[in-house]
Each structure stands twice: as C-alpha cells, then as structure tokens.
Amino acid sequence: MNKLASIFIIAIAFTSINVSASGDVAKGKVTSATCVACHGVQGNSVVTTFPKLAGQGEGYLLKQLQDFKSNARQDAIMKGTVAPLTKDDMANLAAYFSKQTITQSVASTSTSANIALGEQLYRGGNKDKGVTACIACHGPTGAGIPSAKFPALASQHATYIIKQLIAFRQDAHNVQMGANAPERNNDYEGMMRNITKHLSNKEIEAVSQYISGLH
C-alpha cells in the first residue's frame, strides 16, 4: 500500500471518532487577552513569524497547547505562556480561536517565489523523492482535517510555515549528524518528519509560499 493511500485510511479512521474539544468560547475570549501581543486580535497575527490561530481546528490547537505544556513541543515564548494555564484554560482558548475567521493571504508575487513548484509539491508531491502530496492531509483548499487534528494551512504566514517545516526536517539532520539543534517532533507518527527530510530549502520555500495563498 502506498503512502498516500495509507494517509487517507488514517484520516478516514480519525473522522469516525469524536475527537473534538469542548471548550467554552466566551471564557476563551477572556483568556485570549494574553495571546494578542503575538497572535493578534482574534488570532490574526500581523507578525509573520507568529502563526495565525483564527479558524484553526479546535483539536489541533488544544494538542499544541498541551504539547507546549508538557514540553513535547518546545518554544521558549510558549513555554512561559502556557505555564499558568489550566486544562480548562487551554480547552477554552482552543474553542475560541477555532471559531474566529482567518484573514486571507495571497500567494507571493515575488520573482524569487516558485509558486508552480509549490503547487506541484502540495498537490502531487514528489514520487521520486518519496514526498507525499500535502493535499492528502491538508485538503485541496488547505482546510486540514480537524477530526484527525491535521491543521488548516490556508492563509497562514509563509514565513511561519517555512520555520515549522525546517524544524521538522531538523530532526533527521540531528539523527544523521549526532547534533542537538532545535527541532520539532510532535507530529503524528513522524509523518511531517518523514516528508520534510527529503525537501530542499528551495522546495520548502516554494510550498510555503503556495500554501499561504490557499483559500
């Protein structure tokens, strides 16, 4: 069975299970006041290194907060931010941001951006390099699969996406080189790490620019 088929089966299995969070949106709005400085009003960050949270899947948001709390996902700023949060606080924040509307972005018009390559990778992957198409988990419009906690990507800042893809790729580099550079490894069954270890910087930038313009 090929990787794409396997991913579809996993996604279908997840959608049959109720994995949604049950946070209080009103309470989450109150707690979100501490998030505005980095993530913007209603979760629409204007700083491209900080992700937009608006409209993201509730389950995915909750998992990330929990992972920051447990240090399964490492970030110095988020570590301090989640430290005082209770389980209910995190559930409420996830519920609140999931109900907000993300501000739309457009694909880069920079001459250095290879949108055609980005679209090719997103929609078709790269069979020769063993790179699965992003569309399998994140959907044709980048909406993700909330029930499987596969995140929405459409209109996310390209700079932030690049940062995360490189962090996932760093895991393979650390293993190969015996290094201990900052990495990200809280993806399901290493799916993102297995994909990104085959991507060049050029490919990561191209697919990130393409994703940013999806909606």
Side-chain angles (χ1 to χ4, degrees), residues 107-122:
S108 175
T109 57
S110 169
T111 55
S112 64
N114 193 336
I115 301 302
L117 174 60
E119 182 175 14
Q120 175 188 323
L121 289 168
Y122 188 87

Side-chain angles (χ1 to χ4, degrees), residues 103-186:
T103 54
Q104 291 188 352
S105 301
V106 295
S108 175
T109 57
S110 169
T111 55
S112 64
N114 193 336
I115 301 302
L117 174 60
E119 182 175 14
Q120 175 188 323
L121 289 168
Y122 188 87
R123 299 192 175 280
N126 186 325
K127 184 178 180 180
D128 293 339
K129 296 176 69 174
V131 176
T132 304
C134 311
I135 197 174
C137 292
H138 301 288
T141 61
I145 305 177
S147 59
K149 300 180 184 177
F150 295 157
L153 300 179
S155 288
Q156 185 59 265
H157 296 305
T159 301
Y160 176 75
I161 298 172
I162 290 170
K163 178 182 176 182
Q164 297 309 308
L165 292 177
I166 289 175
F168 280 125
R169 188 181 65 181
Q170 186 62 45
D171 174 81
H173 288 187
N174 285 348
V175 172
Q176 182 179 14
M177 305 300 295
N180 193 33
E183 63 183 30
R184 181 175 174 185
N185 54 21
N186 72 326

Side-chain angles (χ1 to χ4, degrees), residues 5 11 13 46 52 63 83 93 125 133 140 154 156 160:
V46 295
K52 296 179 185 179
K63 180 183 185 300
L93 281 171
Q156 185 59 265
Y160 176 75

